[in-house]
Amino acid sequence: MAAEVECGKARLRCAFFVSHKHRLCKMIPSAGCRYCGEHAACEPDTTVGQQRKRIPCPLDPKHSVYADALQKHLKKCNSRERPLPVYYMKNINTEESDDEEDSDNNDTLPLHTEEVAGLIAKIERFSEDLAGEIPHCILLHESLREPLKQAGSGPAWKHLQQQASILGNLEHLALLRPGHCFVEFGAGRGHLAHWVQRALPANKRAHFLLIDRSTARFKVDGKHKQGAGEFERLKIDIQHLDLRKVPKICHEGFPVVGIGKHLCGSATDFALRCLAEQLPNLTNHVQSDSGIEVPRAEDQDTWTAGVGSQVLRSESQDWSRKGSSVAGLVIALCCHHRCRWRDYVGKEFFRARGLGCKDFSRLCRLSSWATCGWGRGRNGTEGHDPVGETTCPFESQLDLDVNTRVALGQQCKRMLDAGRVDFLRKRGFEATLKVYTDPTVSLENILLTALPRKVYC
């Protein structure tokens, strides 16, 4: 009997064969049809019960639509062109490259043994100029202690470990407090902002902006109905984001804290420009046009409820922009091989040391040596050396052992990050790099933190 029921369930399924999954589609078709709505375009016109013909949507052929309802569908299709939001400004966080050759496609640029050997010599000279070891600052915020115990081990536990340390560093820098607008760049499912909210007092004001260029599945946005702060998700590429025009920032005047976990490649550079070049720094004192002194973020809840706020808003229309300042940033770096010279913020730093676009492209390629799994076999066992099996001939010709290649990859990453630190320092920030988690948790374990330099009026 159970077998018949299971067989009956199988007959109810869509008849479309999903080739890359090697099985039939699991969706249930309508009565009298063999295919579900997603694959209804495969239904023959003569099928019983299928009186209307379905065609692929012209905006996105991944789904289908009834031919006689096409015009109605085009008005509400999720793939239709939509009006650009007010905070969209094309390429505001990048700049045109003045080099004859750009490095948009780092992976396709040819690498020769002689060139790489010369670059390694430059890396070693460059590394001598950098300060000593990156300090370790592996912290654990109290709000994640219990979730870590419940997570056990595995990917979820590793993500919580990283989030716990990021929150610990936010607290260490006095940024984990109410009265801020936390902007999570590359938010994805929004877990980092979620834990920041959980760490804040439930009865205090805060705001959260989740920035991502795509729609993520299984978001945790639904868990934010209770607790501190308001959440807003902006679907936009950071490259085109003008924070000054986001309503909650330009009207409310929240001090901005930039956060991010594993912000890939050029996305980090976009975020740094977005914060450091669009908004002013939050100094210890801000003087209004009327001479009233505005306190720092920790006192803003009390102060904005008083008369001072009303005076400022009435006498100075530009107060919203003065209030929306950068209080700091904490970003976990990732995927340096996906950086592009056109978008990179540390070009001045590189040029001052005789390095240009081509050197940058090769550095990005070599940076992957730090995380590409040298010394680990496909089953995760140690001691496997892929030299001789690689498709890149120069890697075997250089005759470098595993530890040397990993060290060179780490030096490349550090050089790229040093340019970012220099960029922030030239714009009034005290920027530092920190090791925020153990390499066994994540090989991408460097955290970029920055606070405005203290200015006393």
Side-chain angles (χ1 to χ4, degrees):
M1 183 66 180
E4 292 178 3
V5 172
E6 187 64 26
C7 183
K9 285 185 178 180
R11 284 198 298 269
L12 289 174
R13 286 184 180 176
C14 174
F16 182 84
F17 185 77
V18 186
S19 57
H20 69 281
K21 294 186 177 180
H22 306 290
R23 61 167 174 78
L24 293 175
C25 171
K26 292 185 177 181
M27 298 296 290
I28 306 300
S30 301
C33 302
R34 295 181 62 235
Y35 296 90
C36 68
E38 188 71 18
H39 303 113
C42 303
E43 193 88 47
D45 293 341
T46 56
T47 302
V48 177
Q50 183 73 16
Q51 303 298 327
R52 303 165 67 190
K53 183 179 180 181
R54 291 188 74 92
I55 59 174
C57 173
L59 299 179
D60 183 3
K62 291 182 180 179
H63 65 274
S64 59
V65 59
Y66 286 115
D68 57 354
L70 177 61
Q71 295 304 318
K72 182 179 179 181
H73 171 79
L74 292 178
K75 294 178 182 179
K76 60 181 181 180
C77 178
N78 288 334
S79 299
R80 70 188 185 278
E81 285 192 24
R82 304 187 185 191
L84 295 175
V86 66
Y87 45 79
Y88 178 93
M89 183 70 66
K90 187 174 181 180
N91 294 330
I92 188 173
N93 295 315
T94 187
E95 60 182 25
E96 294 296 330
S97 176
D98 54 359
D99 292 271
E100 294 182 0
E101 298 182 43
D102 207 342
S103 57
D104 285 346
N105 298 311
N106 293 327
D107 293 339
T108 62
L109 292 175
L111 289 173
H112 304 290
T113 306
E114 298 79 9
E115 294 175 334
V116 175
L119 181 61
I120 290 175
K122 290 182 180 180
I123 293 172
E124 292 173 347
R125 290 197 303 269
F126 197 128
S127 299
E128 295 176 358
D129 296 337
L130 300 177
E133 293 294 323
I134 298 177
H136 285 62
C137 195
I138 303 176
L139 303 174
L140 172 61
H141 193 269
E142 192 63 31
S143 62
L144 279 93
R145 190 178 297 278
E146 190 62 31
L148 277 168
K149 291 180 182 178
Q150 299 174 1
S153 60
W157 178 83
K158 290 186 176 182
H159 284 298
L160 284 174
Q161 283 278 7
Q162 297 170 67
Q163 290 156 355
S165 185
I166 292 174
L167 262 66
N169 277 276
L170 279 167
E171 187 174 53
H172 179 70
L173 297 171
L175 295 175
L176 191 61
R177 56 182 64 195
H180 287 105
C181 177
F182 294 91
V183 182
E184 183 179 358
F185 295 97
R189 295 166 63 185
H191 273 118
L192 181 57
H194 168 72
W195 289 113
V196 170
Q197 184 218 30
R198 294 285 295 273
L200 294 175
N203 59 345
K204 296 294 184 178
R205 285 190 73 197
H207 192 74
F208 297 86
L209 287 179
L210 279 63
I211 313 296
D212 206 288
R213 64 181 180 182
S214 60
T215 302
R217 299 178 65 191
F218 310 115
K219 299 186 290 290
V220 295
D221 297 26
K223 298 181 180 180
H224 302 144
K225 295 179 181 179
Q226 296 179 349
E230 303 173 2
F231 278 76
E232 183 179 358
R233 185 175 282 270
L234 307 182
K235 185 179 178 182
I236 186 173
D237 195 315
I238 309 171
Q239 180 177 354
H240 312 301
L241 173 63
D242 188 347
L243 273 180
R244 296 166 296 186
K245 296 182 181 178
V246 176
K248 279 292 180 182
I249 291 180
C250 67
H251 298 314
E252 297 291 338
F254 285 99
V256 174
V257 178
I259 59 175
K261 176 174 171 285
H262 290 181
L263 197 56
C264 284
S266 291
T268 296
D269 300 301
F270 295 147
L272 296 183
R273 288 189 190 277
C274 192
L275 293 168
E277 294 190 338
Q278 292 183 19
L279 299 177
N281 291 348
L282 181 64
T283 57
N284 278 11
H285 300 276
V286 179
Q287 295 290 338
S288 70
D289 293 344
S290 58
I292 298 176
E293 183 177 283
V294 183
R296 291 184 63 86
E298 52 264 36
D299 301 319
Q300 287 222 356
D301 276 352
T302 304
W303 188 85
T304 52
V307 180
S309 176
Q310 300 173 8
V311 173
L312 273 178
R313 293 186 186 276
S314 62
E315 296 191 8
S316 176
Q317 296 180 355
D318 196 38
W319 157 241
S320 61
R321 181 164 296 181
K322 289 182 180 179
S324 297
S325 307
V326 179
L329 63 93
V330 176
I331 295 176
L333 306 172
C334 178
C335 298
H336 296 74
H337 62 280
R338 299 189 64 181
C339 294
R340 298 184 299 180
W341 179 253
R342 182 185 65 189
D343 308 321
Y344 183 55
V345 296
K347 287 196 282 285
E348 292 181 13
F349 184 75
F350 265 51
R351 287 170 178 151
R353 285 153 181 80
L355 300 174
C357 176
K358 289 184 178 180
D359 294 317
F360 176 85
S361 301
R362 293 166 189 150
L363 277 171
C364 292
R365 293 283 295 277
L366 267 60
S367 69
S368 63
W369 281 0
T371 56
C372 67
W374 296 120
R376 292 188 295 276
R378 293 188 178 183
N379 60 356
T381 58
E382 298 294 329
H384 175 69
D385 189 348
V387 173
E389 301 177 14
T390 179
T391 56
C392 300
F394 74 85
E395 291 178 356
S396 58
Q397 294 169 11
L398 286 172
D399 192 26
L400 301 174
D401 60 67
V402 170
N403 293 332
T404 302
R405 277 175 283 172
V406 171
L408 283 169
Q410 292 172 342
Q411 287 175 328
C412 291
K413 284 177 172 288
R414 190 169 181 191
M415 290 169 66
L416 295 169
D417 292 337
R420 291 164 169 167
V421 169
D422 180 73
F423 169 82
L424 290 171
R425 287 175 177 171
K426 288 180 178 177
R427 282 154 182 79
F429 290 88
E430 292 292 344
T432 57
L433 298 172
K434 302 174 182 177
V435 176
Y436 81 101
T437 193
D438 193 87
T440 58
V441 175
S442 175
L443 292 174
E444 298 283 13
N445 62 342
I446 301 300
L447 193 70
L448 174 61
T449 67
L451 291 173
R453 290 197 190 99
K454 292 185 178 181
V455 177
Y456 297 94
C457 300

